[in-house]
Amino acid sequence: MNRSSAIRKVFQGVASRQQMFRMFDRHARRPNRREDDAAPLYAGEWFEIAEIEHDYMFEILPPLWIRGSMFAMREFLTGSVTSVFFALRIDGVIRHFHGYCDLSDSQAVERMRVEIIERESRPVRAMTREERLEHIWSITADDYRGYAGDRWPEESRGKCTIMLYGGQTGSTMKLLDDLSDDEIAAKLPVQLRHLPSSIAA
């Protein structure tokens, strides 16, 4: 797979409940779902949710643990990776987030907490190229995204693909990571297309 276990924002804005549940398993259609180790694929993903969704998830099951303003889900997604929910004060406002953390790493939760605060405390609203690609993947319907299979060169197999509309030439699948700036802009919602691409600390 081409997604790494680095801590990464995968959705711009506050996810609705429907979007939240959909993003809980963004990689549901990956090849070899029952055979591969999916921990690196999910670990590190995070996005913002509303307080009502945060509280709803808290009430579903007794948490695995509660640490201050954070709690972990008792049910693991894969291996030692589970959902961790955060209520974080950022610029004087309490905001809520979901992240996948690999609990076999004792520092994973704290690293994610620090990373979210750092990313969301920046004064300029912007999106890196990687965040744009992650957002596109998150909002694209399953029928229009997939994974490179046997017809692709060996070095591309398993990587995320996205459908592009080519007008008279028809629709084609392209590697998500290979989208041009114009193709990325066309796939993003209008309100996100003109955000700065660099994020100043």
Side-chain angles (χ1 to χ4, degrees):
M1 293 314 210
N2 61 334
R3 313 335 280 165
S4 71
S5 57
I7 297 173
R8 59 209 178 275
K9 184 176 184 178
V10 298
F11 185 83
Q12 186 75 16
V14 180
S16 67
R17 183 169 300 188
Q18 181 181 11
Q19 290 167 330
M20 175 183 76
F21 279 109
R22 191 166 178 270
M23 284 191 291
F24 281 164
D25 200 351
R26 297 192 322 144
H27 310 287
R29 293 193 175 186
R30 69 188 185 277
N32 306 316
R33 177 179 173 84
R34 303 296 176 203
E35 302 168 17
D36 65 343
D37 176 12
L41 192 61
Y42 290 93
E45 292 187 346
W46 66 270
F47 56 91
E48 188 169 0
I49 59 175
E51 181 179 9
I52 193 169
E53 272 63 65
H54 173 276
D55 295 349
Y56 173 81
M57 295 306 297
F58 181 77
E59 294 169 1
I60 285 180
L61 290 171
L64 178 66
W65 50 253
I66 301 172
R67 298 176 187 165
S69 61
M70 306 179 292
F71 69 90
M73 292 295 285
R74 182 171 299 277
E75 293 185 352
F76 286 77
L77 174 71
T78 180
S80 53
V81 175
T82 194
S83 293
V84 177
F85 292 85
F86 303 81
L88 303 175
R89 183 176 295 278
I90 300 174
D91 296 332
V93 177
I94 300 295
R95 294 167 60 186
H96 301 83
F97 302 88
H98 166 271
Y100 276 126
C101 294
D102 186 344
L103 299 188
S104 68
D105 178 352
S106 63
Q107 299 301 311
V109 175
E110 179 61 17
R111 279 200 307 272
M112 180 169 284
R113 186 190 71 80
V114 170
E115 181 80 14
I116 293 172
I117 292 172
E118 180 183 326
R119 170 63 184 87
E120 296 302 301
S121 295
R122 294 170 181 152
V124 178
R125 188 166 177 241
M127 292 175 76
T128 64
R129 175 181 170 83
E130 291 73 23
E131 287 174 351
R132 291 169 198 264
L133 293 176
E134 293 288 4
H135 186 85
I136 289 168
W137 182 258
S138 292
I139 64 173
T140 301
D142 287 337
D143 289 344
Y144 302 100
R145 66 182 187 183
Y147 301 85
D150 294 341
R151 296 181 181 179
W152 293 75
E154 189 172 349
E155 64 273 12
S156 298
R157 291 175 191 167
K159 292 185 177 181
C160 294
T161 59
I162 202 92
M163 185 171 288
L164 296 178
Y165 300 100
Q168 294 180 345
T169 61
S171 300
T172 59
M173 295 297 282
K174 186 172 182 178
L175 292 179
L176 180 67
D177 289 336
D178 288 350
L179 294 183
S180 68
D181 290 344
D182 287 343
E183 290 165 341
I184 290 172
K187 286 287 186 183
L188 284 173
V190 174
Q191 70 272 18
L192 301 179
R193 290 178 185 172
H194 304 294
L195 293 180
S197 58
S198 60
I199 299 175

